[in-house]
Amino acid sequence: MKKIISLTLALLIFAAAALPSFAEVDVKSGYDYTRFKNDKITLNVYNWGEYISNGNDDSVDVIDEFQKLTGITVNYTTFDTNESLYAKLKSGGGNYDVIIPSDYMIGKMVKEDMLAELDFANIPNASLIGDSYKKSDYDSENKYSVAYMWGLIGIVYNKTMVDEGDLAEGWGLLWDEQYAGQILMFNNSRDAFGITSMLIGSEINPTAQAEIDACAEKLKAQKSVVQAYVMDEIFDKMGGGEAALAPYYAGDGITMMQDNPDLGMFIPQEGSNLYIDAMCIPKTSKNKQAAEMFINFMCETSIALANAEYICYSSPQIEVPALLDEEYSQNPMMYPDEDMLSRCTTYSVLSDEINSAMDLAWSEVRSFDTSGNGWLMPVALVLMLAISIFGFVRKWKKEHRNDY
Amino acid sequence: MFKKRSLAAPYLVWMVAFIAVPLVIVVYFAFTDKTGAFTLENIMSLGMYTTVFVRSILLAIVATVVCLVLAFPLSYMLSRMHTSTQSMMTMLVMLPMWMNFLLRTYAWMSLLENNGLINRFLGVFGIGPFQMINTSGAVVLGMVYNYLPYMILPLYTIMVKIDSSVIEAAQDLGANMFSVLFRVLIPLSMDGITTGITMVFVPSISTFIISRMLGGGSNLLIGDLIELQFLGNSYNYNLGSAMSLVLMVIVLMCMSFTTADTEEMEAMV
């Protein structure tokens, strides 16, 4: 069976190469995509890694289609965390026209006046974005961003290692002694604290030091059962059966499940974090209109559908779910019911003090060592003593030698 | 004379622009707050991270000592080989460096895992599995593996210069193995030893990717801590700079110690 598939794929690739390429996506009429055709514009798009349909596995090559349609050259680069995107923009390195950060980072950028106000006359397709993804906490007047994808955080588990009856424990499963040494945890303070706050029932967006301390205590207690703090290494470790449980983003979890049928995923009953990644234009952009054209293109039904199918994240575009394969549109991990959604919260911008407190608490959690703390200092002391004794002995020897 | 000096100009410009200026910026940020006012707050708050600093120094020292113990006999053996064999063997030493650093470390991750190759191999004989990954031992292993060539090469280059007749003379005069080692070989290769120590200790103490991949993220080192300041939630480059400054001072201390040693030795000879 596999052979037939690969043979078909090979033939398809061959056919695609042999045929002259033509734009195959249909876009809504009434929008002039060709008005910058002769302006030789280069658009710098900065997106998460693996976060767009790129033509692999017979999918639509979105960037390529856009270039063919508009004559605009796209310089597409990727980042791996919101924080590295922020650091890059803040330090003035890189001139980007379209960026796709997450909710709380958009809020932070709005607060620091880093984003340009969008001209929605150039983005008519923004009307296709569901109302619940507009006027959000991070962009209260819906002036700076157009939602691209959203999703929830769930727990990925290995069916052969985890008793499915235990799933009722919810987030507490990640603290379960029974699975000591087989649990992976986010290596990212915001998500780690977010999960913990859902477990102990405090605010997901902490406003006081006491809430941070409570979460940090809980995270320290978890440390003895955690195998490792990881991010994308999860794909390898869960895929290879190295760990039994790991919290991760639902879209990536679905990708993992497709690769390893032993894996399952669920959203704990306590609720979860709902994250939204949205397209924005930095203030420094020199091609704002072309950037708005790109955003409009990304909201086209055919393009949004192609992206949603390829990356397995949930699309905020209202026409997409109906067109998706049932395997996706009926998947509670991707499009959960209202009841679950009502229990999910979005991250908002934290104050500078809370951010610093969280980072400090997080490094404390990670350097806190239940077993090693005892021997660390004595060994250091002994070593330093040994070095000084060595120094003295050498000196003494040298003086002795000079006696001859 | 002047002409010769002007040849160094490109490097001088490079050094000022990309080494001296950034250093000044790091020092500036370390002693200022977000508004640019002078403060000692950043340095003082580092007290909270003492365990991380101690752990980093300790692991780096262990890695350096292991490297030295492994590299010294090997370099000696290499330097006594036939010339044609020598070039081939040095190439073998360099061979792992042809591969990407991240890839090498990633490979160790899949070797050491509980379901990894080593544990599966031991499992055939009914031994184990041993907990190897996510320990400080694994971090030291990663450092030793990645930086061992930096210890071997300077040791080897200095040892090829030692004439075999010097060693033979020592033996003729009745020196036993230990005397030859401690009174002839080690003093003569001291330059290589100090260079090697610096070249292993400095990258070991500032690494962050090794501890993240092999230490499971819970063996936090100074490098991780600095990264966290820039790519964490708070984007506190002032605190990050203060940490870098302390790291630089540690390195400086280590280097001053080792260079003082060489001068002493030269004076002795």
Side-chain angles (χ1 to χ4, degrees):
Chain A
M1 187 61 198
K2 250 196 172 146
K3 261 190 185 160
I4 298 171
I5 292 172
S6 44
L7 194 71
T8 332
L9 274 176
L11 277 175
L12 272 172
I13 291 166
F14 191 71
L19 286 170
S21 58
F22 50 87
E24 54 194 291
V25 293
D26 42 300
V27 291
K28 298 220 161 34
S29 58
Y31 190 87
D32 183 11
Y33 274 113
T34 49
R35 62 198 144 109
F36 297 116
K37 196 127 205 166
N38 301 315
D39 292 355
K40 289 210 163 57
I41 290 176
T42 300
L43 210 55
N44 293 308
V45 177
Y46 204 33
N47 191 5
W48 293 85
E50 281 290 306
Y51 211 41
I52 196 164
S53 175
N54 60 5
N56 285 349
D57 303 337
D58 212 20
S59 62
V60 179
D61 189 339
V62 170
I63 296 293
D64 195 47
E65 294 297 337
F66 180 74
Q67 297 188 126
K68 269 190 237 159
L69 183 63
T70 62
I72 296 171
T73 311
V74 174
N75 178 18
Y76 183 80
T77 43
T78 60
F79 57 87
D80 56 353
T81 62
N82 278 307
E83 285 69 27
S84 63
L85 161 77
Y86 175 83
K88 198 144 186 190
L89 281 178
K90 200 73 183 170
S91 63
N95 176 24
Y96 297 105
D97 298 304
V98 179
I99 53 172
I100 312 189
S102 310
D103 35 49
Y104 69 97
M105 191 48 75
I106 295 172
K108 187 170 176 163
M109 288 176 168
V110 168
K111 223 170 88 184
E112 295 179 18
D113 200 24
M114 292 164 73
L115 299 179
E117 270 188 46
L118 302 177
D119 180 0
F120 282 93
N122 288 331
I123 317 175
N125 284 341
S127 62
L128 295 172
I129 300 299
D131 283 334
S132 42
Y133 310 102
K134 291 176 184 168
K135 296 200 194 269
S136 36
D137 185 41
Y138 55 89
D139 180 10
S140 51
E141 290 161 69
N142 193 33
K143 286 197 303 203
Y144 301 97
S145 63
V146 176
Y148 173 54
M149 289 285 162
W150 62 275
L152 303 176
I153 294 178
I155 298 180
V156 186
Y157 63 96
N158 191 319
K159 289 173 195 158
T160 60
M161 298 156 97
V162 176
D163 176 10
E164 298 209 299
D166 291 338
L167 300 188
E169 289 174 40
W171 292 112
L173 192 56
L174 296 174
W175 271 257
D176 195 332
E177 301 269 339
Q178 204 184 320
Y179 301 109
Q182 299 182 315
I183 296 170
L184 299 175
M185 188 65 183
F186 274 117
N187 187 9
N188 142 349
S189 53
R190 195 70 207 258
D191 287 324
F193 276 82
I195 287 175
T196 317
S197 68
M198 284 180 281
L199 176 70
I200 63 176
S202 67
E203 269 311 310
I204 198 168
N205 296 307
T207 48
Q209 179 72 41
E211 294 171 66
I212 301 255
D213 292 344
C215 286
E217 275 316 304
K218 197 76 190 165
L219 281 168
K220 280 183 191 168
Q222 186 199 20
K223 216 175 160 178
S224 60
V225 298
V226 170
Q227 182 188 86
Y229 294 89
V230 288
M231 291 301 292
D232 279 347
E233 292 96 324
I234 281 181
F235 283 93
D236 264 14
K237 295 204 186 240
M238 289 304 293
E242 180 70 13
L245 289 160
Y248 219 55
Y249 312 111
D252 293 327
I254 290 166
T255 311
M256 275 184 250
M257 282 158 66
Q258 287 169 349
D259 292 343
N260 183 349
D262 281 345
L263 297 181
M265 188 176 200
F266 73 105
I267 312 282
Q269 280 310 302
E270 292 104 317
S272 178
N273 161 245
L274 190 155
Y275 52 85
I276 301 173
D277 294 325
M279 299 174 276
C280 310
I281 303 179
K283 269 231 154 110
T284 50
S285 166
K286 292 188 188 73
N287 301 307
K288 188 159 170 275
Q289 294 208 2
E292 281 160 352
M293 183 187 277
F294 182 81
I295 294 177
N296 191 59
F297 182 74
M298 293 288 269
C299 297
E300 290 284 352
T301 307
S302 55
I303 298 301
L305 179 67
N307 283 330
E309 274 174 347
Y310 185 72
I311 63 180
C312 296
Y313 276 64
S314 323
S315 177
Q317 217 266 22
I318 45 176
E319 293 178 353
V320 166
L323 296 170
L324 270 176
D325 213 61
E326 261 191 22
E327 179 197 341
Y328 297 127
S329 59
Q330 300 299 318
N331 189 332
M333 243 54 73
M334 280 179 82
Y335 298 97
D337 54 28
E338 285 302 317
D339 177 48
M340 173 52 88
L341 282 179
S342 67
R343 271 173 280 147
C344 296
T345 333
T346 310
Y347 292 146
S348 62
V349 202
L350 303 179
S351 68
D352 285 349
E353 295 80 57
I354 293 295
N355 269 330
S356 316
M358 196 187 265
D359 271 3
L360 176 63
W362 179 236
S363 54
E364 227 173 75
V365 166
R366 284 172 60 207
S367 48
F368 168 80
D369 198 337
T370 38
S371 58
N373 233 2
W375 58 263
L376 206 65
M377 278 317 260
V379 170
L381 262 176
V382 167
L383 246 160
M384 284 189 272
L385 263 175
I387 291 172
S388 14
I389 289 175
F390 174 72
F392 279 124
V393 166
R394 223 179 41 165
K395 231 179 176 179
W396 180 81
K397 264 190 170 171
K398 240 170 87 181
E399 275 167 16
H400 224 67
R401 198 180 297 160
N402 289 345
D403 289 347
Y404 291 110
Chain B
M1 191 65 193
F2 176 75
K3 260 191 181 162
K4 267 187 192 161
R5 244 186 227 174
S6 63
L7 285 178
Y11 177 68
L12 227 80
V13 171
W14 174 273
M15 209 173 81
V16 169
F18 298 110
I19 300 175
V21 172
L23 277 182
V24 172
I25 295 175
V26 167
V27 174
Y28 170 77
F29 278 144
F31 287 105
T32 50
D33 59 15
K34 283 245 148 80
T35 59
F38 176 82
T39 176
L40 276 177
E41 185 75 18
N42 300 319
I43 306 276
M44 275 156 74
S45 61
L46 292 185
M48 288 183 283
Y49 300 102
T50 319
T51 44
V52 180
F53 278 82
V54 172
R55 182 190 292 122
S56 297
I57 297 173
L58 214 65
L59 291 188
I61 290 177
V62 173
T64 314
V65 170
V66 173
C67 274
L68 184 61
V69 169
L70 285 177
F72 196 86
L74 178 77
S75 312
Y76 180 69
M77 198 188 80
L78 266 178
S79 68
R80 300 301 118 188
M81 276 177 177
H82 200 269
T83 326
S84 56
T85 337
Q86 269 182 33
S87 56
M88 202 191 73
M89 291 300 275
T90 38
M91 207 184 74
L92 282 180
V93 169
M94 304 268 286
L95 198 65
M97 290 163 85
W98 295 0
M99 260 181 295
N100 181 286
F101 176 79
L102 281 178
L103 210 63
R104 275 181 276 158
T105 314
Y106 216 91
W108 269 112
M109 204 168 97
S110 47
L111 278 178
L112 295 178
E113 274 175 348
N114 294 340
N115 293 330
L117 282 176
I118 296 178
N119 269 327
R120 257 189 284 166
F121 177 74
L122 290 177
V124 173
F125 305 103
I127 322 168
F130 296 105
Q131 171 67 38
M132 290 184 284
I133 192 108
N134 306 331
T135 59
S136 27
V139 178
V140 170
L141 178 76
M143 290 174 178
V144 169
Y145 179 75
N146 279 308
Y147 304 131
L148 190 59
Y150 298 104
M151 183 65 93
I152 296 176
L153 291 178
L155 274 178
Y156 161 74
T157 28
I158 205 93
M159 279 181 178
V160 269
K161 291 185 200 147
I162 301 176
D163 204 320
S164 292
S165 55
V166 177
I167 297 157
E168 281 158 18
Q171 283 166 339
D172 269 356
L173 293 170
N176 59 16
M177 209 179 82
F178 282 98
S179 300
V180 172
L181 182 64
F182 285 103
R183 299 181 67 172
V184 180
L185 262 184
I186 291 184
L188 281 178
S189 46
M190 210 55 191
D191 267 344
I193 293 177
T194 51
T195 317
I197 287 178
T198 320
M199 283 176 76
V200 174
F201 183 76
V202 173
S204 297
I205 200 168
S206 53
T207 183
F208 63 96
I209 202 73
I210 295 178
S211 58
R212 181 191 301 166
M213 283 186 170
L214 302 179
S218 48
N219 283 291
L220 210 63
L221 300 185
I222 304 179
D224 300 283
L225 214 51
I226 295 173
E227 195 214 6
L228 195 65
Q229 301 316 312
F230 288 92
L231 298 180
N233 278 312
S234 54
Y235 190 57
N236 194 342
Y237 48 85
N238 298 100
L239 190 57
S241 301
M243 288 169 182
S244 309
L245 187 70
V246 172
L247 184 61
M248 284 194 286
V249 171
I250 293 174
V251 170
L252 197 74
M253 198 180 72
C254 149
M255 283 175 76
S256 72
F257 186 70
T258 46
T259 39
D261 251 16
T262 35
E263 274 163 23
E264 249 171 57
M265 287 300 164
E266 273 162 13
M268 264 172 64
V269 172

